[in-house]
Amino acid sequence: MIRKVLLGLGAAVLLIVAILVIAISVRWDRRFEAPYPKLAPSRDPAVLARGRYLAYGPAHCSDCHTAPADYASLQTGSSPSLSGGVEFPIPLGTIRVPNLTPDSATGIGRRSDGDITRLLRYGVRADGRAAIPFMEYHELSDADIVAVISFLRSQPPVRHAVPDHALNLLGKAVMAFAIKPIGPSGTPPAESPASGPTLERGAYLVTAVAACAGCHTQRSMVTGQYTGPRLAGGSPMEAADNAHTKLVPPDITGNPGTGRAAMWTEDEFVARFRAGVRIPGSPMPWQAFQRITDDDLRAIYRYVRSVRGS
Ligand code: HEC
Ligand code: HEC
């Protein structure tokens, strides 16, 4: 009798596993709909310069999209091509960062402006799959998206084929059931707040451009959702050079006693960013943020100092 029950149970478990595996294989590369924003690139030199500043500075596209062989030159202040190829081994599999140069076979020469804009704003890839959520640019203004794409299109093409991600069964399961494209919370602005050390500009840089909260806020390891007060300190992260070293993104708000912006003067904050990386292997893209202008750093300081909550 017990044997029969166990056999029946075993068969039921096998059936459930089989159904799950089939569901994963059918659903993992499901396609999503999202609008194609109508934004056209420009050749205006001022727009290209703004795009370069964003890509190698506050928006730190360079931090992920530089080829591994060029990373050392990026660290010393150069701006090598964004030809991709970095691999992130995460529990879902190996995530590979694509080539952003205009090469027509291996880079964004294959993509329309609509494809790129839709990915940055709505998290949907050119093939309709949800992007692995590494990029948080959903709230970028139209003008800044145009600036970045115009700059990327103006660069020399580099032929560098980067294969797509290699997702394992867990990765495919997560793609099948958990990951959905992330879009903006409202309608992103047409223009960015004007340059100058204002709170408004700082809020935009911190939230829409530099993704400071993504690291400096505690979040669920499963869903990625914020579980702690915004910018008041994040979850421990592995150092790039040693997985055993855990670095904790500190509270960067104006919280008395704990917040970096409360502990530091504006000039100290600017000087800290000018100095660049201090803790080897820090995941914070210091080399990119080192290139942020004084005015923008002051805007960031004034904004994070205005944030409270613990
Ligand atoms: C934290 C790492 C990271 C940063 C920073 C980053 N990217 Fe990406 N990017 C990725 C990854 C990973 C993918 C692949 C996403 C996918 O296909 O699931 C990607 C894909 C892309 C693609 C798609 C390319 C194609 O072939 O379709 C574009 C375009 C892109 N990124 C542009 C940018 C721009 C512009 C910036 C800066 C404003 C930027 N990225 C910053 C990691 C990053
Ligand atoms: C990819 C994750 C990541 C992002 C994005 C990030 N940080 Fe950090 N940050 C860290 C980590 C980890 C540390 C602790 C290690 C270190 O000091 O380098 C840190 C440290 C800091 C410190 C303290 C430095 C010191 O010397 O005590 C400040 C201030 C700071 N971050 C501000 C910011 C601001 C402002 C932004 C957005 C413009 C930002 N961070 C974006 C991960 C990040």
Side-chain angles (χ1 to χ4, degrees), residues 34-41 100-104 107-120 124-128 145 148-150 152-153:
Y36 289 99
K38 292 209 172 18
L39 299 174
L100 295 190
T101 73
D103 185 60
S104 58
I108 56 164
R110 299 171 292 171
R111 312 287 187 223
S112 69
D113 298 327
D115 286 339
I116 301 176
T117 320
R118 185 174 76 151
L119 170 71
L120 293 174
V124 176
R125 306 182 353 150
D127 63 6
I145 289 196
V148 169
I149 297 182
S150 305
L152 294 175
R153 294 264 193 239

Side-chain angles (χ1 to χ4, degrees), residues 4 96 141 159 222 262 267:
K4 261 198 177 159
R96 301 202 180 88
S141 68
R159 186 137 302 182
V222 182
D267 286 343

Side-chain angles (χ1 to χ4, degrees), residues 133 209 229 264 304:
V209 181
W264 295 352
V304 290

Side-chain angles (χ1 to χ4, degrees), residues 76-293:
T76 54
S78 305
S79 303
S81 323
L82 302 179
S83 62
V86 168
E87 297 192 335
F88 293 108
I90 62 172
L92 309 183
T94 303
I95 305 303
R96 301 202 180 88
V97 184
N99 178 352
L100 295 190
T101 73
D103 185 60
S104 58
T106 62
I108 56 164
R110 299 171 292 171
R111 312 287 187 223
S112 69
D113 298 327
D115 286 339
I116 301 176
T117 320
R118 185 174 76 151
L119 170 71
L120 293 174
R121 186 156 283 172
Y122 296 104
V124 176
R125 306 182 353 150
D127 63 6
R129 276 162 51 189
I132 309 279
F134 273 64
M135 296 184 286
E136 298 183 69
Y137 303 113
H138 321 106
E139 320 280 342
L140 269 190
S141 68
D142 293 350
D144 280 350
I145 289 196
V146 166
V148 169
I149 297 182
S150 305
F151 165 69
L152 294 175
R153 294 264 193 239
S154 75
Q155 292 301 289
V158 175
R159 186 137 302 182
H160 183 202
V162 179
D164 205 343
H165 317 312
L167 298 173
N168 55 29
L169 187 63
L170 176 65
K172 288 186 175 168
V174 168
M175 290 303 288
F177 299 110
I179 291 190
K180 287 209 183 81
I182 303 168
S185 52
T187 307
E191 296 294 330
S192 310
S195 296
T198 62
L199 272 184
E200 195 199 0
R201 173 102 184 139
Y204 174 74
L205 287 166
V206 165
T207 314
V209 181
C212 312
C215 295
H216 284 275
T217 308
Q218 271 180 10
R219 31 200 323 190
S220 153
M221 290 295 160
V222 182
T223 62
Q225 271 174 350
Y226 292 148
T227 53
R230 202 168 149 272
L231 298 168
S235 310
M237 308 177 79
E238 277 174 18
D241 56 346
N242 181 351
H244 299 295
T245 309
K246 297 276 187 271
L247 299 173
V248 182
D251 180 346
I252 57 173
T253 67
N255 284 332
T258 55
R260 286 293 191 278
M263 289 151 61
W264 295 352
T265 66
E266 190 168 302
D267 286 343
E268 284 167 344
F269 188 86
V270 174
R272 175 65 196 90
F273 277 76
R274 283 286 159 268
V277 65
R278 283 210 176 119
I279 301 177
S282 170
M284 176 151 154
W286 285 106
Q287 57 76 22
F289 292 163
Q290 204 169 4
R291 305 180 195 202
I292 301 179
T293 62

Side-chain angles (χ1 to χ4, degrees), residues 55-76:
Y56 289 94
H60 61 282
C61 318
S62 55
D63 199 59
C64 292
H65 285 277
T66 296
D70 295 332
Y71 203 71
S73 90
L74 183 73
Q75 290 286 10
T76 54

